Amino acid sequence: MPFKSSKGKNNGKLIEISQSDRSNLGQNIGGGGGSAAPPGIALISATGGTETTVTTPTGKYYKTHTYLTAGSFTFSVSAAEPTATVNIEMVGGGGSGQAGYGDGNGPGIGGGSGAFSIVQNFPVINSPGSYTVTVGGGGGSTSFSGATFSGPTVTATAGGGGVGGQGNFSLTDPTGLITGTVSSGSANRFPPGSGSGPGPAYAGYSDSAFLYPTPLQPAGKGNGAGGGCPTCGPPPGSPGGMRIYYRVPAP
Amino acid sequence: MLKIKILVDIDSNISINFLKDLINHSNLPNAFSGECEISVSIKKSTNYDNLSFGYQLKNNNIIINEIEKPDPNTLYIRSDQEFIDIQLLELLSENDYELIFWCEESGKKSEEIFTFTSPSPYPTV
């Protein structure tokens, strides 16, 4: 359910910052001693997750923070220009399959995938600069385990896939600061399995949906159905995941 | 559904340890393809120095999957995550596999081989 909002477009322009200030800020940003950012790139210095620097074929530089472990973590922003934003890809945990019904030999149901969502131009600030990243574990047969990115102003959530269920996506933005696009992969309802057949890797996944060149596989993969084993339930789906990334100056 | 989890644990001396955990399995069709989850855990909190790792998965001496991390034009900086990488692979039940895993950092390279047999489908075990 994509939507665009132009509300609060000028909210970030509260502080003018000089080019010399940008040069000083750039020294500590981008994974180590970068130069000043080109015009149009708002500088950010942050830690958290598995951090990488990436050079694209077109010569742009990004810093990424990837979270693939289920649990609660912190994305810490120590410095950010007033208009600084990040892009976020998040996937809820995959649902478990369901064991076969009856004596266990009946057809089971494949686990649903976690919802996949992209939030572009998510505003970040450095005071307070602590954001909570929650990655849902693979769901059991009845539970949902979503992924959540929450900060001082905005919370985004990608729901996990339940057994036979759908993930979901929601964004709470009471300040209207989101000025970019929010895309939601509406969770695909997988076909019921017949003792096999996990849900797709992501709900709502498509190659064109990703802004970033490599997907967050295997986050959010639903698990296959059980069947024929009345005493052992199918294992849970894969945990969800999250990737936060933003442009940085050339190293 | 069958799922095997293989944790590749790399300590601060770039020593590689494998831990295999059969999570669960249930009745499977004859043409079953199971899943193998390879999770790479690196116990090192300081900054990485040109960290790279990868593996080959062989079945009957044929390479069926091969991966190298980080991706091209990407550099690991540091991580606070238990798992820096997770891969899901398709496996056949009751087959012998060989996982050849390597890791390199600061010019120090380690390589280990882990062999395992994928479990039998229920109820034949």
Side-chain angles (χ1 to χ4, degrees), chain A residues 59-145:
Chain A
K60 294 178 181 176
Y61 299 90
Y62 287 85
K63 188 173 181 193
T64 74
H65 303 254
T66 304
Y67 302 79
L68 293 176
T69 304
S72 188
F73 306 96
T74 301
F75 175 69
S76 297
V77 180
S78 58
E81 290 190 317
T83 57
T85 61
V86 299
N87 294 325
I88 305 167
E89 297 171 349
M90 63 176 77
V91 182
S96 167
Q98 186 180 51
Y101 56 76
D103 61 359
N105 286 311
I109 302 174
S113 299
F116 164 67
S117 301
I118 297 172
V119 181
Q120 287 180 263
N121 304 321
F122 190 106
V124 292
I125 55 177
N126 63 336
S127 181
S130 182
Y131 294 79
T132 300
V133 170
T134 305
V135 175
S141 60
T142 57
S143 64
F144 276 43
S145 298

Side-chain angles (χ1 to χ4, degrees), chain A residues 31 47-55 63 66-69 73 105 195 214 217-218 221 223-230 232-233 235-236 238, chain B residues 1-3 23-29 35 37 48 70-88 90 122-123:
Chain A
T47 57
T50 296
E51 301 173 35
T52 66
T53 54
V54 181
T55 309
K63 188 173 181 193
T66 304
Y67 302 79
L68 293 176
T69 304
F73 306 96
N105 286 311
T214 54
Q217 286 180 316
K221 189 176 188 299
N223 210 342
C229 177
C232 52
S238 297
Chain B
M1 190 63 183
L2 171 148
K3 199 168 186 178
I23 296 178
N24 209 338
H25 62 95
S26 58
N27 193 25
L28 306 164
E35 279 181 343
E37 178 180 317
Y48 299 132
D71 295 323
N73 301 314
T74 302
L75 185 68
Y76 283 119
I77 301 172
R78 57 183 164 257
S79 180
D80 61 7
Q81 296 286 286
E82 180 181 7
F83 301 119
I84 192 171
D85 191 70
I86 299 173
Q87 301 290 328
L88 281 180
E90 292 287 317
Y122 179 90

Side-chain angles (χ1 to χ4, degrees), chain B residues 24-76:
Chain B
N24 209 338
H25 62 95
S26 58
N27 193 25
L28 306 164
N30 291 335
F32 160 78
S33 288
E35 279 181 343
C36 174
E37 178 180 317
I38 297 179
S39 306
V40 181
S41 172
I42 299 180
K43 295 188 185 307
K44 188 179 179 193
S45 57
T46 55
N47 292 0
Y48 299 132
D49 180 14
N50 282 323
L51 171 70
S52 60
F53 56 88
Y55 66 79
Q56 284 184 338
L57 183 66
K58 292 182 176 180
N59 178 217
N60 294 324
N61 282 325
I62 298 172
I63 298 172
I64 59 169
N65 191 276
E66 192 169 17
I67 202 163
E68 183 172 341
K69 291 284 182 175
D71 295 323
N73 301 314
T74 302
L75 185 68
Y76 283 119

Side-chain angles (χ1 to χ4, degrees), chain A:
Chain A
M1 192 185 310
F3 69 86
K4 289 188 177 182
S5 170
S6 60
K7 287 191 297 182
K9 191 171 279 185
N10 296 317
N11 289 9
K13 299 178 181 176
L14 301 176
I15 302 170
E16 294 295 330
I17 191 164
S18 68
Q19 190 57 42
S20 60
D21 289 337
R22 302 189 87 229
S23 297
N24 292 334
L25 183 56
Q27 297 306 308
N28 298 314
I29 282 177
S35 56
I41 299 178
L43 296 170
I44 300 171
S45 180
T47 57
T50 296
E51 301 173 35
T52 66
T53 54
V54 181
T55 309
T56 70
T58 56
K60 294 178 181 176
Y61 299 90
Y62 287 85
K63 188 173 181 193
T64 74
H65 303 254
T66 304
Y67 302 79
L68 293 176
T69 304
S72 188
F73 306 96
T74 301
F75 175 69
S76 297
V77 180
S78 58
E81 290 190 317
T83 57
T85 61
V86 299
N87 294 325
I88 305 167
E89 297 171 349
M90 63 176 77
V91 182
S96 167
Q98 186 180 51
Y101 56 76
D103 61 359
N105 286 311
I109 302 174
S113 299
F116 164 67
S117 301
I118 297 172
V119 181
Q120 287 180 263
N121 304 321
F122 190 106
V124 292
I125 55 177
N126 63 336
S127 181
S130 182
Y131 294 79
T132 300
V133 170
T134 305
V135 175
S141 60
T142 57
S143 64
F144 276 43
S145 298
T148 302
F149 183 84
S150 59
T153 55
V154 184
T155 296
T157 299
V163 56
Q166 289 179 284
N168 52 71
F169 173 72
S170 64
L171 176 72
T172 305
D173 179 19
T175 64
L177 284 171
I178 295 289
T179 57
T181 301
V182 178
S183 301
S184 172
S186 60
N188 293 334
R189 188 177 289 275
F190 55 89
S194 297
S196 63
Y202 311 107
Y205 166 78
S206 69
D207 286 337
S208 61
F210 276 90
L211 305 174
Y212 193 80
T214 54
L216 270 172
Q217 286 180 316
K221 189 176 188 299
N223 210 342
C229 177
T231 57
C232 52
S238 297
M242 190 172 305
R243 175 159 51 209
I244 302 164
Y245 64 101
Y246 45 89
R247 289 276 302 275
V248 293

